[in-house]
Coordinates of all heavy atoms in Angstrom, one line a residue:
M24 N 102.0 94.7 76.2 CA 102.5 95.5 77.2 C 103.9 95.0 77.7 O 104.0 93.9 78.2 CB 101.5 95.6 78.4 CG 101.9 96.5 79.5 SD 100.8 96.6 80.9 CE 99.2 97.0 80.1
P25 N 105.0 95.8 77.5 CA 106.3 95.3 77.9 C 106.4 95.0 79.4 O 105.9 95.8 80.2 CB 107.3 96.4 77.4 CG 106.5 97.2 76.5 CD 105.0 97.1 76.8
R26 N 107.1 94.0 79.7 CA 107.4 93.6 81.1 C 108.9 93.9 81.3 O 109.7 93.4 80.5 CB 107.1 92.1 81.3 CG 107.3 91.7 82.8 CD 106.8 90.2 82.8 NE 107.1 89.7 84.2 CZ 106.2 89.6 85.1 NH1 105.0 90.1 84.9 NH2 106.5 89.1 86.3
I27 N 109.2 94.8 82.3 CA 110.6 95.2 82.4 C 111.0 95.1 83.9 O 110.2 94.9 84.8 CB 110.7 96.7 82.0 CG1 109.8 97.6 82.9 CG2 110.4 96.9 80.5 CD1 110.1 99.1 82.7
D28 N 112.3 95.2 84.1 CA 112.8 95.2 85.5 C 113.3 96.6 85.8 O 114.0 97.2 84.9 CB 114.0 94.1 85.7 CG 113.4 92.7 85.6 OD1 112.4 92.4 86.1 OD2 114.1 91.9 85.0
L29 N 113.1 97.0 87.0 CA 113.5 98.3 87.4 C 114.4 98.2 88.7 O 114.1 97.4 89.5 CB 112.3 99.2 87.8 CG 111.4 99.6 86.6 CD1 110.0 99.8 87.1 CD2 112.0 100.9 86.0
E30 N 115.4 99.0 88.8 CA 116.3 99.1 89.9 C 116.3 100.5 90.4 O 116.4 101.4 89.6 CB 117.7 98.6 89.6 CG 117.7 97.2 89.2 CD 119.1 96.7 88.9 OE1 120.1 97.4 89.3 OE2 119.2 95.6 88.4
Y31 N 116.2 100.7 91.8 CA 116.2 102.0 92.3 C 117.3 102.2 93.3 O 117.7 101.2 94.0 CB 114.9 102.2 93.1 CG 113.6 102.0 92.3 CD1 112.9 100.9 92.5 CD2 113.2 103.0 91.4 CE1 111.7 100.7 91.8 CE2 112.1 102.8 90.7 CZ 111.3 101.6 90.9 OH 110.2 101.5 90.1
F32 N 117.9 103.4 93.3 CA 119.0 103.7 94.2 C 118.7 105.0 95.0 O 117.9 105.8 94.5 CB 120.3 103.9 93.4 CG 120.7 102.7 92.7 CD1 120.5 102.5 91.3 CD2 121.4 101.6 93.4 CE1 120.9 101.3 90.7 CE2 121.8 100.5 92.8 CZ 121.6 100.3 91.4
A33 N 119.3 105.1 96.1 CA 119.3 106.3 97.0 C 117.9 106.7 97.3 O 117.0 106.0 97.6 CB 120.2 107.4 96.4
I34 N 117.6 108.0 97.0 CA 116.3 108.6 97.4 C 115.2 107.9 96.6 O 114.1 107.7 97.1 CB 116.3 110.1 97.2 CG1 115.0 110.7 97.8 CG2 116.4 110.4 95.7 CD1 115.0 112.2 97.8
L35 N 115.4 107.5 95.4 CA 114.4 106.7 94.6 C 114.0 105.5 95.3 O 112.9 105.1 95.4 CB 114.8 106.6 93.1 CG 115.0 107.9 92.4 CD1 115.5 107.6 91.0 CD2 113.9 108.8 92.4
R36 N 115.0 104.7 95.8 CA 114.8 103.5 96.5 C 113.9 103.7 97.8 O 113.0 103.1 98.1 CB 116.1 102.8 96.9 CG 115.9 101.5 97.7 CD 117.3 100.9 98.2 NE 117.9 101.9 99.0 CZ 119.2 102.3 98.9 NH1 119.9 101.7 98.0 NH2 119.7 103.2 99.7
D37 N 114.3 104.8 98.5 CA 113.5 105.2 99.7 C 112.1 105.5 99.3 O 111.2 105.1 100.1 CB 114.2 106.3 100.4 CG 115.6 106.0 100.9 OD1 115.9 104.8 101.0 OD2 116.3 106.9 101.2
Q38 N 111.9 106.3 98.3 CA 110.5 106.8 98.0 C 109.7 105.7 97.4 O 108.5 105.6 97.6 CB 110.6 108.0 97.0 CG 111.2 109.2 97.7 CD 111.4 110.4 96.8 OE1 111.4 110.2 95.6 NE2 111.5 111.6 97.4
A39 N 110.3 104.7 96.6 CA 109.6 103.6 96.1 C 109.3 102.5 97.1 O 108.4 101.7 97.0 CB 110.4 103.0 94.9
G40 N 110.2 102.5 98.2 CA 110.0 101.5 99.2 C 110.5 100.1 98.8 O 110.1 99.1 99.3
R41 N 111.4 100.1 97.8 CA 111.9 98.9 97.3 C 113.2 99.2 96.4 O 113.4 100.3 96.0 CB 110.9 98.1 96.4 CG 110.5 98.9 95.1 CD 109.3 98.5 94.5 NE 108.2 98.8 95.3 CZ 107.0 98.2 95.3 NH1 106.8 97.2 94.6 NH2 106.0 98.6 96.1
Q42 N 114.0 98.1 96.3 CA 115.2 98.3 95.5 C 115.0 97.9 94.1 O 115.6 98.4 93.2 CB 116.4 97.5 96.2 CG 117.7 97.7 95.5 CD 118.9 97.0 96.3 OE1 118.6 96.5 97.3 NE2 120.0 97.1 95.7
K43 N 114.2 96.9 93.8 CA 113.9 96.4 92.5 C 112.4 96.1 92.4 O 111.7 95.8 93.3 CB 114.7 95.1 92.3 CG 116.2 95.2 92.4 CD 116.8 93.8 92.1 CE 118.3 94.0 92.1 NZ 118.9 92.7 91.9
E44 N 112.0 96.0 91.1 CA 110.7 95.4 90.9 C 110.6 95.0 89.4 O 111.3 95.6 88.6 CB 109.6 96.5 91.2 CG 109.5 97.6 90.3 CD 108.3 98.6 90.6 OE1 107.1 98.0 90.7 OE2 108.5 99.7 90.8
T45 N 109.7 94.2 89.1 CA 109.3 93.9 87.8 C 107.9 94.5 87.5 O 107.0 94.4 88.4 CB 109.2 92.3 87.5 OG1 110.5 91.8 87.8 CG2 108.8 92.0 86.1
R46 N 107.8 95.1 86.4 CA 106.6 96.0 86.1 C 106.2 95.8 84.7 O 107.0 95.7 83.8 CB 106.9 97.4 86.4 CG 105.7 98.4 86.4 CD 106.2 99.8 86.8 NE 105.1 100.6 86.9 CZ 104.5 100.9 88.1 NH1 105.0 100.5 89.2 NH2 103.5 101.8 88.1
E47 N 104.9 95.8 84.4 CA 104.3 95.9 83.0 C 103.9 97.3 82.9 O 103.4 98.0 83.7 CB 103.1 95.0 82.9 CG 103.6 93.5 82.9 CD 102.4 92.6 82.7 OE1 101.2 93.1 82.7 OE2 102.6 91.4 82.5
T48 N 104.2 97.9 81.7 CA 104.0 99.3 81.4 C 103.5 99.6 80.0 O 103.9 98.8 79.1 CB 105.2 100.2 81.8 OG1 104.9 101.5 81.5 CG2 106.4 99.7 80.9
N49 N 102.7 100.6 79.8 CA 102.3 101.1 78.5 C 103.2 102.3 78.1 O 102.9 102.9 77.1 CB 100.8 101.4 78.5 CG 100.0 100.2 78.4 OD1 100.3 99.2 77.7 ND2 98.9 100.2 79.1
A50 N 104.1 102.7 78.9 CA 104.9 103.9 78.7 C 105.6 103.8 77.3 O 106.2 102.7 77.0 CB 105.9 104.1 79.8
A51 N 105.5 104.8 76.5 CA 106.1 104.8 75.2 C 107.6 105.2 75.2 O 108.3 104.9 74.3 CB 105.3 105.8 74.3
S52 N 108.0 105.7 76.3 CA 109.5 106.2 76.4 C 109.9 106.0 77.8 O 109.1 105.9 78.8 CB 109.6 107.6 75.9 OG 108.9 108.4 76.8
L53 N 111.2 106.2 78.0 CA 111.7 106.2 79.4 C 111.2 107.4 80.2 O 110.9 107.3 81.4 CB 113.2 106.2 79.4 CG 113.8 104.9 78.7 CD1 115.3 105.0 78.6 CD2 113.5 103.7 79.6
A54 N 111.0 108.5 79.5 CA 110.4 109.8 80.1 C 109.0 109.4 80.6 O 108.7 109.7 81.8 CB 110.4 110.9 79.2
A55 N 108.2 108.8 79.8 CA 106.9 108.4 80.2 C 106.8 107.4 81.3 O 106.0 107.5 82.2 CB 106.1 107.9 78.9
L56 N 107.8 106.5 81.3 CA 107.9 105.5 82.4 C 108.2 106.2 83.7 O 107.6 105.9 84.7 CB 109.0 104.5 82.0 CG 109.4 103.5 83.1 CD1 108.1 102.7 83.5 CD2 110.5 102.6 82.7
Y57 N 109.2 107.2 83.7 CA 109.5 107.9 84.9 C 108.3 108.7 85.4 O 108.0 108.7 86.6 CB 110.7 108.8 84.7 CG 111.2 109.4 86.0 CD1 111.9 108.6 87.0 CD2 110.9 110.7 86.3 CE1 112.3 109.1 88.2 CE2 111.3 111.3 87.6 CZ 112.0 110.4 88.5 OH 112.4 111.0 89.7
D58 N 107.6 109.3 84.5 CA 106.3 110.0 84.9 C 105.3 109.1 85.5 O 104.8 109.4 86.5 CB 105.7 110.7 83.7 CG 106.5 111.9 83.2 OD1 107.5 112.3 83.9 OD2 106.3 112.3 82.0
E59 N 105.2 107.9 85.0 CA 104.3 106.9 85.6 C 104.7 106.5 87.0 O 103.9 106.4 87.9 CB 104.3 105.6 84.6 CG 103.5 104.4 85.1 CD 103.7 103.3 84.2 OE1 103.4 103.4 83.0 OE2 104.1 102.2 84.6
L60 N 106.0 106.3 87.1 CA 106.6 105.9 88.5 C 106.5 107.1 89.5 O 106.2 106.8 90.6 CB 108.0 105.5 88.3 CG 108.2 104.2 87.5 CD1 109.7 104.0 87.2 CD2 107.6 103.0 88.2
T61 N 106.6 108.3 89.0 CA 106.5 109.5 89.8 C 105.0 109.5 90.3 O 104.8 109.8 91.5 CB 106.8 110.7 89.1 OG1 108.2 110.7 88.7 CG2 106.6 112.0 89.9
D62 N 104.1 109.2 89.5 CA 102.7 109.2 89.9 C 102.4 108.1 90.9 O 101.7 108.3 91.9 CB 101.7 109.0 88.7 CG 101.6 110.2 87.8 OD1 102.0 111.3 88.3 OD2 101.2 110.1 86.7
A63 N 103.1 107.0 90.7 CA 102.9 105.8 91.7 C 103.6 106.0 93.0 O 103.0 105.6 94.1 CB 103.4 104.5 91.0
Y64 N 104.8 106.6 93.0 CA 105.6 106.6 94.2 C 105.9 108.0 94.7 O 106.5 108.2 95.8 CB 107.0 105.9 93.9 CG 106.8 104.4 93.6 CD1 107.4 103.9 92.4 CD2 106.1 103.6 94.4 CE1 107.2 102.6 92.1 CE2 105.9 102.3 94.1 CZ 106.5 101.8 92.9 OH 106.4 100.5 92.6
G65 N 105.5 109.0 94.0 CA 105.7 110.4 94.5 C 107.2 110.8 94.4 O 107.6 111.6 95.3
F66 N 107.9 110.3 93.5 CA 109.3 110.8 93.3 C 109.4 112.3 93.3 O 108.6 113.0 92.6 CB 109.9 110.2 92.0 CG 110.1 108.7 92.0 CD1 110.3 108.0 90.8 CD2 110.3 108.0 93.2 CE1 110.4 106.7 90.8 CE2 110.5 106.6 93.2 CZ 110.6 106.0 92.0
T67 N 110.4 112.8 94.0 CA 110.6 114.3 94.1 C 111.6 114.8 93.2 O 111.7 116.0 93.0 CB 110.9 114.7 95.6 OG1 112.0 113.9 96.0 CG2 109.7 114.3 96.5
L68 N 112.5 113.9 92.7 CA 113.5 114.4 91.7 C 113.0 114.5 90.3 O 112.3 113.6 89.8 CB 114.7 113.4 91.7 CG 115.6 113.3 92.9 CD1 116.6 112.2 92.8 CD2 116.2 114.7 93.2
S69 N 113.3 115.7 89.7 CA 112.9 115.8 88.3 C 113.8 115.1 87.4 O 114.9 114.7 87.7 CB 112.9 117.3 87.9 OG 114.3 117.7 87.9
R70 N 113.3 114.8 86.2 CA 114.2 114.0 85.2 C 115.4 114.8 84.9 O 116.4 114.2 84.7 CB 113.4 113.8 83.9 CG 112.4 112.7 84.0 CD 111.8 112.4 82.6 NE 110.6 113.1 82.5 CZ 110.3 113.8 81.4 NH1 111.1 113.9 80.4 NH2 109.1 114.5 81.3
A71 N 115.4 116.1 85.0 CA 116.6 116.9 84.7 C 117.8 116.6 85.7 O 118.9 116.8 85.4 CB 116.3 118.4 84.8
R72 N 117.5 116.1 86.8 CA 118.5 115.7 87.8 C 118.9 114.3 87.8 O 119.8 113.9 88.6 CB 117.9 116.1 89.2 CG 117.6 117.6 89.4 CD 117.4 118.0 90.7 NE 118.6 117.8 91.5 CZ 118.7 117.6 92.8 NH1 117.6 117.8 93.5 NH2 119.8 117.4 93.4
L73 N 118.4 113.5 86.9 CA 118.7 112.1 86.8 C 119.4 111.7 85.6 O 119.3 112.4 84.5 CB 117.4 111.3 86.9 CG 116.5 111.4 88.2 CD1 115.2 110.7 88.0 CD2 117.2 110.9 89.4
R74 N 120.1 110.5 85.6 CA 120.5 109.8 84.3 C 119.7 108.6 84.3 O 119.2 108.1 85.3 CB 122.0 109.5 84.4 CG 122.9 110.6 84.5 CD 123.2 111.4 83.2 NE 123.4 110.6 82.1 CZ 124.7 110.3 81.6 NH1 125.7 110.8 82.2 NH2 124.8 109.7 80.5
V75 N 119.5 108.1 83.1 CA 118.8 106.8 82.9 C 119.7 105.8 82.2 O 120.4 106.2 81.2 CB 117.4 107.0 82.3 CG1 117.6 107.6 80.9 CG2 116.6 105.7 82.3
A76 N 119.6 104.6 82.6 CA 120.4 103.5 81.9 C 119.5 102.4 81.6 O 118.6 102.1 82.3 CB 121.6 103.0 82.8
V77 N 119.7 101.8 80.4 CA 118.9 100.6 80.0 C 119.9 99.5 79.7 O 120.9 99.7 78.8 CB 118.0 100.9 78.8 CG1 117.3 99.6 78.3 CG2 117.1 102.0 79.2
N78 N 119.8 98.4 80.3 CA 120.6 97.2 80.0 C 122.1 97.6 80.2 O 122.9 97.3 79.3 CB 120.3 96.6 78.6 CG 118.8 96.2 78.5 OD1 118.2 95.8 79.5 ND2 118.3 96.4 77.4
A79 N 122.4 98.3 81.2 CA 123.8 98.6 81.6 C 124.5 99.7 80.7 O 125.7 99.8 80.8 CB 124.7 97.4 81.8
A80 N 123.7 100.5 80.0 CA 124.3 101.5 79.1 C 123.4 102.8 79.3 O 122.2 102.7 79.3 CB 124.3 101.1 77.7
F81 N 124.1 103.9 79.4 CA 123.3 105.2 79.5 C 122.5 105.3 78.3 O 122.8 104.9 77.2 CB 124.3 106.4 79.6 CG 124.9 106.5 81.0 CD1 126.3 106.4 81.2 CD2 124.1 106.7 82.1 CE1 126.8 106.5 82.4 CE2 124.7 106.8 83.4 CZ 126.0 106.7 83.5
S82 N 121.3 105.9 78.5 CA 120.3 106.0 77.4 C 119.8 107.5 77.5 O 120.1 108.3 78.3 CB 119.2 105.0 77.7 OG 118.2 105.1 76.7
T83 N 118.9 107.7 76.5 CA 118.2 109.0 76.4 C 116.8 108.8 76.9 O 116.2 107.7 76.9 CB 118.1 109.5 75.0 OG1 117.3 108.6 74.2 CG2 119.5 109.7 74.4
W84 N 116.2 109.9 77.4 CA 114.8 109.8 77.9 C 113.8 109.4 76.8 O 112.7 109.0 77.0 CB 114.4 111.1 78.6 CG 115.1 111.4 79.8 CD1 116.2 112.2 80.1 CD2 114.9 110.7 81.1 NE1 116.6 112.1 81.3 CE2 115.8 111.2 82.0 CE3 113.9 109.8 81.5 CZ2 115.8 110.8 83.3 CZ3 114.0 109.3 82.8 CH2 114.9 109.8 83.7
E85 N 114.2 109.7 75.5 CA 113.2 109.4 74.4 C 113.2 108.0 74.0 O 112.4 107.6 73.2 CB 113.6 110.3 73.2 CG 113.4 111.8 73.4 CD 114.6 112.4 74.3 OE1 115.7 111.9 74.3 OE2 114.3 113.4 75.0
Q86 N 114.1 107.2 74.5 CA 114.2 105.7 74.1 C 113.0 105.0 74.4 O 112.4 105.1 75.5 CB 115.4 105.0 74.7 CG 115.5 103.6 74.3 CD 116.8 103.0 74.8 OE1 117.8 103.6 74.8 NE2 116.7 101.7 75.2
P87 N 112.4 104.2 73.5 CA 111.3 103.4 73.9 C 111.6 102.3 74.9 O 112.7 101.9 75.1 CB 110.9 102.7 72.5 CG 111.9 103.1 71.5 CD 112.9 104.0 72.1
V88 N 110.6 101.8 75.6 CA 110.6 100.8 76.6 C 110.4 99.5 75.9 O 109.4 99.4 75.2 CB 109.6 101.0 77.7 CG1 109.7 99.9 78.7 CG2 109.9 102.4 78.3
N89 N 111.3 98.5 76.0 CA 111.1 97.2 75.3 C 111.1 96.1 76.3 O 111.6 96.1 77.4 CB 112.4 97.0 74.3 CG 112.4 98.1 73.3 OD1 111.5 98.3 72.5 ND2 113.4 98.8 73.2
E90 N 110.3 95.1 75.9 CA 110.2 93.8 76.7 C 111.6 93.4 77.2 O 112.5 93.3 76.4 CB 109.6 92.7 75.8 CG 109.5 91.4 76.5 CD 108.4 91.4 77.5 OE1 107.4 92.1 77.4 OE2 108.4 90.5 78.4
G91 N 111.7 93.1 78.5 CA 112.9 92.5 79.0 C 114.0 93.6 79.4 O 115.0 93.2 79.9
D92 N 113.8 94.8 79.2 CA 114.7 95.8 79.5 C 114.9 95.9 81.0 O 114.0 95.6 81.8 CB 114.3 97.3 79.1 CG 114.5 97.5 77.6 OD1 115.2 96.7 77.0 OD2 113.9 98.6 77.1
I93 N 116.1 96.2 81.4 CA 116.5 96.4 82.8 C 116.8 98.0 82.9 O 117.8 98.4 82.3 CB 117.7 95.7 83.3 CG1 117.4 94.2 83.2 CG2 118.1 96.1 84.7 CD1 118.6 93.3 83.4
V94 N 115.9 98.7 83.6 CA 116.0 100.2 83.6 C 116.4 100.6 85.0 O 115.9 100.1 86.0 CB 114.6 100.8 83.2 CG1 114.7 102.3 83.3 CG2 114.1 100.3 81.9
V95 N 117.4 101.5 85.0 CA 117.9 102.1 86.2 C 117.8 103.6 86.1 O 118.4 104.2 85.2 CB 119.3 101.6 86.5 CG1 119.9 102.2 87.8 CG2 119.4 100.1 86.5
F96 N 117.2 104.3 87.1 CA 117.3 105.7 87.2 C 118.3 106.1 88.2 O 118.3 105.6 89.3 CB 115.9 106.3 87.6 CG 114.8 106.0 86.6 CD1 113.9 105.0 86.9 CD2 114.8 106.6 85.4 CE1 112.9 104.7 86.0 CE2 113.8 106.3 84.5 CZ 112.8 105.3 84.8
I97 N 119.3 107.0 87.8 CA 120.5 107.2 88.6 C 120.4 108.6 89.2 O 120.5 109.6 88.4 CB 121.7 107.0 87.8 CG1 121.7 105.6 87.2 CG2 123.0 107.3 88.6 CD1 122.7 105.4 86.1
P98 N 120.2 108.8 90.5 CA 120.1 110.1 91.1 C 121.5 110.7 91.2 O 122.5 110.0 91.1 CB 119.5 109.8 92.4 CG 119.7 108.4 92.7 CD 119.9 107.7 91.4
P99 N 121.5 112.0 91.5 CA 122.9 112.6 91.7 C 123.6 112.0 92.9 O 122.9 111.7 93.9 CB 122.5 114.1 91.9 CG 121.1 114.2 92.2 CD 120.5 112.9 91.6
V100 N 124.9 112.0 92.8 CA 125.7 111.5 93.9 C 126.3 112.6 94.6 O 126.8 113.6 94.1 CB 126.8 110.5 93.3 CG1 127.7 110.1 94.4 CG2 126.2 109.4 92.6
S101 N 126.3 112.5 96.0 CA 126.9 113.5 96.8 C 127.8 112.8 97.8 O 127.6 111.6 98.0 CB 125.9 114.4 97.4 OG 125.1 113.6 98.3
G102 N 128.6 113.5 98.4 CA 129.4 112.9 99.4 C 130.7 113.7 99.7 O 130.8 114.8 99.1
G103 N 131.5 113.3 100.5 CA 132.7 114.1 100.8 C 133.8 113.2 101.2 O 134.0 112.1 101.2

């Protein structure tokens, strides 16, 4: 079971109640990982509204989760 680091920003940080965590997961892909986290924390943003990055590079939702990855889900940015 891969052990990964996760970082949360904006609404995802608020909903998770934390900025970072280390987690063990059986998720086969980043999409499955986000679904797992949505079940755990009740995330309200769909994957269609997010970008995902692994080890500081944008990635696809189909990418497998690997031991030691640093995964960041990036919500939309707003402001003025």
Side-chain angles (χ1 to χ4, degrees):
M24 183 179 306
R26 185 176 173 96
I27 61 171
D28 290 320
L29 292 152
E30 296 181 13
Y31 303 106
F32 295 99
I34 191 171
L35 298 179
R36 179 186 58 227
D37 295 343
Q38 292 175 340
R41 64 196 74 206
Q42 185 170 357
K43 297 179 178 182
E44 73 175 307
T45 299
R46 186 178 188 97
E47 292 182 350
T48 181
N49 283 323
S52 66
L53 295 171
L56 174 62
Y57 188 73
D58 291 346
E59 177 184 302
L60 295 168
T61 295
D62 288 344
Y64 299 125
F66 290 157
T67 56
L68 290 176
S69 69
R70 279 188 269 134
R72 299 194 61 204
L73 300 171
R74 298 282 314 261
V75 61
V77 177
N78 302 327
F81 285 117
S82 184
T83 66
W84 289 104
E85 294 76 27
Q86 180 173 323
V88 178
N89 296 304
E90 177 74 24
D92 281 348
I93 300 171
V94 179
V95 180
F96 298 106
I97 304 164
V100 176
S101 63

